[in-house]
């Protein structure tokens, strides 16, 4: 108690923030007398309340490998509780502690630490070394507090004396109890209402005040507790905790059961089925793709539409083939893709199975209440099922989000948190805002607790809120990309200085120099030419510029002269010699969406210029060109596309197909033909496309391939006699049989 008294005196003297050097003698004397008076009162208050102060100790544990999360610690700066994980408490074998106040012989009021019961081993109450076991008996609805019932009385404890507001004296004080720097301190200061706060959104008024403290008079009579740093402007806050509305443990169980029913009726696992992704050789920009299955959470609405909380890139949505809904009871049903939301990481699906036995979820019509206990469901997908944990939380306030929408500010991690009211209406859920980022094909997966009321207008006018370019596509169309029509090289500090554009590009850290413009492309139509510098790009909808950055991984020329040195087992690892159209700029255009209006910022002729255009789909390119696989020869060929003609300097009339794949040990492989060589003729006939190759290479007998590697040509002969091959195989099988019989 010596440390406690010292802390009390320090708080009383420092709380006024006065210095004798800044006051005249009379003021100094008057203030000194006030301090003596306050100190005297403070000592009396301390003497009367200290026997009512206890420490609440939560002994916590891991559950299924998950660390316990708590309301954490009381912030001295803002007076609020901040969440944290209690891993260090477990490692250091010490409890999570919270200040408590004895309100009856066997009752303690304490801050709601929001620890899920599955993490609690036991709760103990400690006072001056005496320890008793306790359990949470009730949860206060409108105050951040719980009531604990003691297993037995503390021998030296004395309950606080609560009186009604008409019996309290006028001189009031705030008394708080908390741990700081290893010491448990009592802080006493004159009670004062702070600024008046009016909220337009819900027409409410508050006064600011010291949070997490009790309000008492000079006779140590307790008027009320303030569990939040706000109090109502009327006198409704002036009431004993004994009269606060609360949920008993039984009532809390009933509330969470109602929440569970709401979840079972409308929040399901969604199984998204995709075609296998096509292998993209040499795509240094693309990030990880979803394979053939992805599981997400989905909210079934009353109109039988499902809001699927999945962040799908256009390349993934393009491969989407089916949607299966998996309720908690396992009775699956089907849904079909309807649309992708343009502003949020979610898609909408329509239920196709008739007469499903689920009513769906109701969205709220107004803002979530502040400073009130609300039931929550923590829904995490494990495998193909949702693992639910039902608990509660309290809205501390709002944070301003997209378009001034009010996001919930709550304690604990909310990545999987669904917030309900006491009637099972969904108030808020975690969802990410769809954004375009500088890294190609990357979406922002961070989520916020958006209030459900903001989504009602979206479903009333769904057509106005969808991304028409982020849709499922056929296998032939799935690899479509946006196309500007340029080849680029990265900017450098020297190039930025040379073009006097260092300030606009952070000394060449971003920006791209145009090295070539394709004919009839968007870039050519805009007047872009080699030597221009592309700085940034933005959609007309968002107006958020994205820096254009180009990797320099292709700085070296392709080593054609060493191609013969590559063993056949490594053929698939050889990068394409030409600059891929699947580059960072076209990747950004793909993310904006085919047909979307965008603005590109260009440095041209010494001036910075904005140019507007609609995103166009790239023409057929190497990645999605038509191909033919010859089983007999053991190779795959593709048609020559426009960027290949540019690289190999081929005229439109020049014949040829390109070798895109070679099977090790095949006839083509043993003949010495290598990937990316061009077959111009077979038996002296022109090969203009894969149909010609298929026709000319299917004949039996010797084949003469005219092979071109850049500027060099050669003739390669391959025996394509299928009958002889079969005969040789049969002869070999006969020899093997004879040897086996001889051994027997």
């Amino acid at each position: 108690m010596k440390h406690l008294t010292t802390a009390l005196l320090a708080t009383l003297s420092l709380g006024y923030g006065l210095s004798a050097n800044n006051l005249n003698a009379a003021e100094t004397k008057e203030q000194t007398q006030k301090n003596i008076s306050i100190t005297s009162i403070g000592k009396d208050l301390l003497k009367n309340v200290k026997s009512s102060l206890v420490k609440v100790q939560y002994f916590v544990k891991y559950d299924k490998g998950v660390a316990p999360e708590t309301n954490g610690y009381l912030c001295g700066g803002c007076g609020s509780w901040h969440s944290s994980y209690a891993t260090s408490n477990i490692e250091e074998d010490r409890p999570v502690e919270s200040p408590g106040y004895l309100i009856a012989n066997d009752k303690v009021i304490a801050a709601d630490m929001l620890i899920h019961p599955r993490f609690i081993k036991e709760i103990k109450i400690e006072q001056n070394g005496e320890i008793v076991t306790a359990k949470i008996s009730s949860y206060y609805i409108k105050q951040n507090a719980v009531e604990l019932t003691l297993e037995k009385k503390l021998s030296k404890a004395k309950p606080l004396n609560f009186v009604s507001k008409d019996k309290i004296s006028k001189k009031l004080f705030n008394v708080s109890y908390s741990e700081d720097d290893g010491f448990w301190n009592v802080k006493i200061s004159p009670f004062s209402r702070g600024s008046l706060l009016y909220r337009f959104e819900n027409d409410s008024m508050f006064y600011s005040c010291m949070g997490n403290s009790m309000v008492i008079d000079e006779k140590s009579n307790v008027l009320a507790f303030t569990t939040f740093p706000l109090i109502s402007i009327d006198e409704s806050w002036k009431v004993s905790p004994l009269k606060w509305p609360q949920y008993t443990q039984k009532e809390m169980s009933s509330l969470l059961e109602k929440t569970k029913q709401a979840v079972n009726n409308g929040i399901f696992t969604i199984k998204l089925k995709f075609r296998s992704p096509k292998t993209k050789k040499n795509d240094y920009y693309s990030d990880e793709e979803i394979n053939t299955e992805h599981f997400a959470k989905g909210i079934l609405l009353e109109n039988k539409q499902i809001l699927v909380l999945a962040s799908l890139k256009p390349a993934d949505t393009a491969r989407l083939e089916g949607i299966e809904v998996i309720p908690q009871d396992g009775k699956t049903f089907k849904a079909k893709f309807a649309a992708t939301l343009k502003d949020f990481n979610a898609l909408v699906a329509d239920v196709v199975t008739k007469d499903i036995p689920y009513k769906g979820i109701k969205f709220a019509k107004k803002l979530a209440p502040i400073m009130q206990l609300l039931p929550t469901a923590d829904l995490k997908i494990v495998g193909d099922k949702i693992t639910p944990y039902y608990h509660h939380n309290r809205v501390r306030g709002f944070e301003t989000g997209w378009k001034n929408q009010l996001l919930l500010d709550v304690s604990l991690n909310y990545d999987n948190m669904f917030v309900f009211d006491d009637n099972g209406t969904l108030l808020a859920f975690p969802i990410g805002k769809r954004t375009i980022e500088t890294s190609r094909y990357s979406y922002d997966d961070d989520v916020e607790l958006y209030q459900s009321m903001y989504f009602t207008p979206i479903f009333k006018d769904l057509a106005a809120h969808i991304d028409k370019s982020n849709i499922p596509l056929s296998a032939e169309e799935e690899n479509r990309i946006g196309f500007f029509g340029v080849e680029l090289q990265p900017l450098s500090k020297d190039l930025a200085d040379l073009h006097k554009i260092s300030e606009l590009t952070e000394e060449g850290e971003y920006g791209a120099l145009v090295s070539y413009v394709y004919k009839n492309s968007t870039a050519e139509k805009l007047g872009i030419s080699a030597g221009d510098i592309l700085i940034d790009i933005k959609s007309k909808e968002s107006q958020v510029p994205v820096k254009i950055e180009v990797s320099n991984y292709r700085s070296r020329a392709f080593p054609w002269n060493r191609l013969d040195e590559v063993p056949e087992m490594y053929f698939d690892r050889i990068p394409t010699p030409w600059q891929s159209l699947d580059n960072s700029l076209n990747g950004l255009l793909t993310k904006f969406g085919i047909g979307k209006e965008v603005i590109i910022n260009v440095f041209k002729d010494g001036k910075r210029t904005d140019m507007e255009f609609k995103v166009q789909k790239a023409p057929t390119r190497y990645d999605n060109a038509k191909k033919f696989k010859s089983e007999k020869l053991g190779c795959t060929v593709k048609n020559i596309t426009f960027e290949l003609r540019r690289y190999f300097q081929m005229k439109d009339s020049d014949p040829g197909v390109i070798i895109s794949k070679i099977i090790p040990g095949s006839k083509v492989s043993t003949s010495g033909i290598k990937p990316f060589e061009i077959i111009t003729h077979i038996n002296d006939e022109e090969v203009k496309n894969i149909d010609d190759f298929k026709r000319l290479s299917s004949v039996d007998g010797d084949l003469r391939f005219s092979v071109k590697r850049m500027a060099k040509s050669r003739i390669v002969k391959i025996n394509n006699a299928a009958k002889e091959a079969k005969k040789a195989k049969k002869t070999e099988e006969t020899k093997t049989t004879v040897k086996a019989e001889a051994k027997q």
Side-chain angles (χ1 to χ4, degrees):
M1 192 54 71
K2 177 181 177 181
H3 294 300
L4 190 148
T5 305
T6 303
L8 165 68
L9 295 176
T11 303
L12 291 174
S13 60
L14 295 175
Y16 284 92
L18 298 172
S19 171
N21 293 330
N22 298 327
L23 299 171
N24 58 39
E27 290 173 328
T28 301
K29 183 177 180 180
E30 180 183 356
Q31 187 58 53
T32 301
Q33 290 175 344
K34 284 184 178 179
N35 285 349
I36 292 172
S37 175
I38 293 296
T39 302
S40 177
I41 294 172
K43 287 182 176 180
D44 291 337
L45 291 176
L46 176 61
K47 180 180 179 181
N48 293 329
V49 304
K50 66 181 182 180
S51 60
S52 304
L53 306 178
V54 299
K55 288 188 287 185
V56 181
Q57 301 176 328
Y58 294 87
F59 291 85
V60 295
K61 61 180 180 178
Y62 281 84
D63 180 72
K64 298 177 182 177
V66 179
E69 191 179 9
T70 81
N71 212 357
Y73 63 95
L74 179 60
C75 177
C78 68
S80 297
W81 288 86
H82 296 281
S83 62
S84 65
Y85 287 95
T87 51
S88 61
N89 297 80
I90 298 174
E91 292 168 358
E92 297 167 8
D93 194 21
R94 57 183 174 84
V96 176
E97 293 185 315
S98 167
Y101 305 86
L102 199 69
I103 59 174
N105 286 326
D106 63 342
K107 302 288 184 184
V108 167
I109 184 174
D112 187 355
M113 299 300 288
L114 297 175
I115 306 174
H116 194 281
R118 66 190 176 113
F119 296 119
I120 299 175
K121 289 196 295 186
E122 61 179 342
I123 304 172
K124 294 182 179 181
I125 307 296
E126 190 266 334
Q127 185 187 61
N128 296 324
E130 185 180 4
I131 299 175
V132 299
T133 303
K135 292 183 178 180
I136 297 175
S137 51
S138 62
Y139 302 81
Y140 294 107
I141 299 173
K142 296 186 178 182
Q143 288 78 22
N144 181 36
V146 295
E147 180 186 274
L148 298 107
T149 299
L150 281 60
E151 188 178 68
K152 64 179 182 178
K153 298 178 183 179
L154 291 163
S155 61
K156 297 181 181 180
K158 180 182 177 182
L160 293 168
N161 181 41
F162 293 95
V163 297
S164 59
K165 60 185 178 182
D166 57 332
K167 295 181 180 180
I168 204 84
S169 62
K170 293 183 178 180
K171 191 175 290 187
L172 300 176
F173 299 86
N174 279 114
V175 179
S176 65
Y177 181 42
S178 62
E179 184 270 336
D180 187 24
D181 293 332
F183 294 109
W184 281 85
N185 304 317
V186 176
K187 296 182 180 181
I188 302 176
S189 61
F191 172 76
S192 175
R193 293 183 304 190
S195 304
L196 179 65
L197 174 66
Y198 174 73
R199 288 188 169 136
F200 284 91
E201 285 75 13
N202 55 7
D203 190 30
S204 58
M205 297 180 72
F206 303 91
Y207 284 115
S208 61
C209 69
M210 179 185 289
N212 296 288
S213 68
M214 55 182 171
V215 181
I216 66 176
D217 66 10
E218 56 188 312
K219 297 179 181 179
S220 302
N221 295 313
V222 183
L223 172 64
F225 274 86
T226 58
T227 59
F228 288 96
L230 295 174
I231 54 175
S232 58
I233 61 169
D234 58 23
E235 296 191 342
S236 60
W237 63 274
K238 296 180 178 180
V239 62
S240 162
L242 300 173
K243 296 182 180 180
W244 286 349
Q246 58 186 261
Y247 290 124
T248 64
Q249 278 287 10
K250 184 177 180 180
E251 290 169 335
M252 176 61 81
S253 297
S254 177
L255 177 65
L256 297 183
E257 180 60 32
K258 185 182 292 185
T259 305
K260 179 180 178 180
Q261 292 175 7
V263 169
N264 291 344
N265 223 3
I267 302 180
F268 309 134
T269 302
I270 308 297
K271 182 178 181 180
L272 303 173
K273 302 177 183 179
F274 302 88
R275 284 191 302 274
S276 296
K278 294 182 178 179
T279 302
K280 292 183 180 180
K281 180 181 292 187
N282 203 34
D283 188 355
Y284 288 81
Y285 295 95
S286 64
D287 56 5
E288 185 177 353
E289 289 183 313
I290 293 173
N291 201 359
T292 56
E293 287 184 349
H294 180 68
F295 294 93
K297 292 182 281 286
I299 303 172
L300 175 67
L301 307 181
E302 292 180 303
N303 66 354
K304 303 311 177 192
Q305 285 187 310
I306 300 174
L307 181 63
V308 181
L309 306 179
S311 175
L312 298 186
K313 301 180 291 292
D316 293 322
T317 311
R319 297 186 292 109
L320 182 62
E321 290 189 322
I323 301 175
E324 184 177 301
V325 185
I326 310 173
Q328 291 290 82
D329 59 14
K331 299 177 181 178
T332 62
F333 57 91
K334 302 293 183 182
K336 65 177 181 180
F337 176 89
T340 298
L341 296 186
K342 66 178 182 180
D343 297 315
F344 293 95
N345 289 334
L347 60 91
V348 179
D350 294 323
V351 175
V352 297
T353 303
K354 295 182 179 180
D355 302 324
I356 60 173
Y358 310 102
K359 296 180 181 179
I361 290 288
K362 289 183 179 180
F363 281 173
K365 297 181 179 179
K366 58 183 181 180
L367 295 172
I370 298 178
M371 301 182 294
Q372 182 170 319
L373 183 149
L374 296 169
T376 62
D378 190 85
L379 307 176
K380 186 176 182 179
I381 293 181
V382 180
D384 60 352
K385 295 181 180 179
I386 289 177
T387 299
Y389 290 103
Y390 298 97
H391 196 31
H392 69 278
N393 212 306
R394 301 173 191 272
V395 179
R396 299 182 298 197
F398 299 126
E399 295 179 352
T400 304
W402 178 67
K403 289 190 174 181
N404 286 326
Q405 293 183 359
L406 298 179
L407 314 178
L408 295 198
D409 177 19
V410 299
S411 294
L412 308 186
N413 184 300
Y414 51 75
D415 287 352
N416 298 296
M417 183 187 296
F418 291 72
V419 184
F420 293 82
D421 68 9
D422 54 5
N423 291 315
T425 297
L426 183 62
L427 298 177
F429 56 91
I431 189 171
K433 177 72 178 64
R434 194 176 292 279
T435 58
I436 300 293
E437 300 208 358
T438 54
S439 58
R440 182 180 181 270
Y441 286 168
S442 62
Y443 275 76
D444 186 356
D445 290 331
D446 290 341
V447 298
E448 299 286 353
L449 274 180
Y450 277 86
Q451 302 199 60
S452 63
M453 60 175 286
Y454 295 125
F455 286 81
T456 300
I458 291 177
F459 282 91
K460 284 185 177 180
D461 187 13
L462 188 59
H465 296 87
I466 64 174
D467 182 354
K468 295 180 181 179
S469 64
N470 195 351
I471 58 175
L473 298 171
S474 64
E476 292 74 23
E477 282 282 294
E478 75 175 60
N479 282 333
R480 70 177 188 175
I481 61 171
F483 182 62
F484 190 60
V486 295
E487 289 183 4
L488 301 171
Q489 70 180 69
L491 207 57
S492 64
K493 186 178 186 303
D494 291 340
L495 285 173
D497 290 340
L498 178 65
H499 290 272
K500 298 180 180 180
I501 197 173
S502 296
E503 185 177 350
L504 296 177
T505 61
E506 297 179 5
E507 297 187 334
E509 286 296 317
Y510 69 94
L513 184 69
V514 176
S515 58
Y516 181 79
V517 179
Y518 285 98
K519 292 182 180 181
N520 301 317
S521 66
T522 298
E524 185 186 57
K525 293 173 183 177
L526 290 174
I528 301 293
S529 55
D532 292 345
I533 296 173
L534 310 183
I535 300 174
D536 58 48
I537 191 169
K538 60 188 176 183
S539 72
K540 291 188 72 173
E541 290 179 347
S542 70
Q543 290 292 314
V544 178
V546 179
K547 298 174 182 178
I548 295 174
E549 299 176 274
V550 179
S551 170
N552 62 357
Y553 76 93
R554 299 307 299 274
S555 58
R556 295 183 180 180
F558 187 83
W560 284 102
N561 60 331
R562 302 190 63 185
L563 194 58
D564 291 326
E565 301 174 20
V566 181
E568 62 180 8
M569 68 280 295
Y570 297 123
F571 282 173
D572 282 346
R573 301 185 185 183
I574 302 175
T576 57
W578 54 89
Q579 189 177 110
S580 173
L581 296 183
D582 221 4
N583 56 39
S584 58
L585 175 58
N586 289 339
L588 286 171
L589 296 177
T590 304
K591 289 171 67 176
F592 286 128
I594 307 299
K596 292 290 183 68
E597 294 183 333
V598 299
I599 302 171
I600 192 167
N601 190 254
V602 183
F603 190 77
K604 183 179 180 64
D605 300 328
K607 296 179 181 179
R608 186 172 180 172
T609 306
D610 280 341
M611 298 181 177
E612 297 185 15
F613 64 95
K614 284 187 177 182
V615 178
Q616 301 297 315
K617 183 177 69 171
T620 300
R621 64 196 193 282
Y622 175 78
D623 287 339
N624 62 351
K626 288 184 177 181
K627 60 186 178 181
F628 166 69
K629 181 178 181 180
S630 172
E631 297 289 350
K632 287 174 65 178
L633 295 173
C635 69
T636 301
V637 297
K638 286 188 173 185
N639 285 335
I640 303 293
T641 52
F642 72 101
E643 82 274 27
L644 271 63
R645 291 189 180 278
R646 142 79 178 156
Y647 177 78
F648 290 109
Q649 299 182 11
M650 296 172 64
K651 298 178 182 179
D652 290 344
S653 58
D654 289 345
V657 292
I658 190 166
I659 299 289
S660 63
K661 187 172 183 178
I662 297 176
I663 299 173
S666 64
K667 292 180 180 180
V668 167
S669 181
T670 55
S671 73
I673 294 176
K674 304 297 180 183
F676 309 132
E677 291 192 308
I678 294 174
I679 309 300
T680 61
H681 297 75
I682 297 178
N683 293 338
D684 299 325
E685 288 192 46
E686 284 190 344
V687 179
K688 295 181 179 179
N689 50 49
I690 61 171
D691 292 332
D692 288 347
F693 183 91
K694 180 180 180 180
R695 174 176 55 82
L696 295 172
S697 65
S698 61
V699 299
D700 292 337
D702 291 336
L703 299 177
R704 297 176 68 256
F705 287 84
S706 297
V707 183
K708 189 173 184 181
R709 181 186 298 182
M710 294 301 288
K712 297 180 179 180
S713 299
R714 70 183 190 278
I715 299 296
V716 175
K717 294 183 179 181
I718 297 177
N719 188 334
N720 199 35
K723 291 181 179 179
E724 291 183 14
K726 288 181 179 179
K727 184 178 179 181
K729 183 178 180 182
K730 187 174 182 180
T731 302
E732 185 64 29
E733 289 175 350
T734 302
K735 290 180 180 179
T736 303
T737 303
V738 171
K739 288 180 180 180
E741 291 175 348
K743 287 182 179 181
Q744 292 178 358

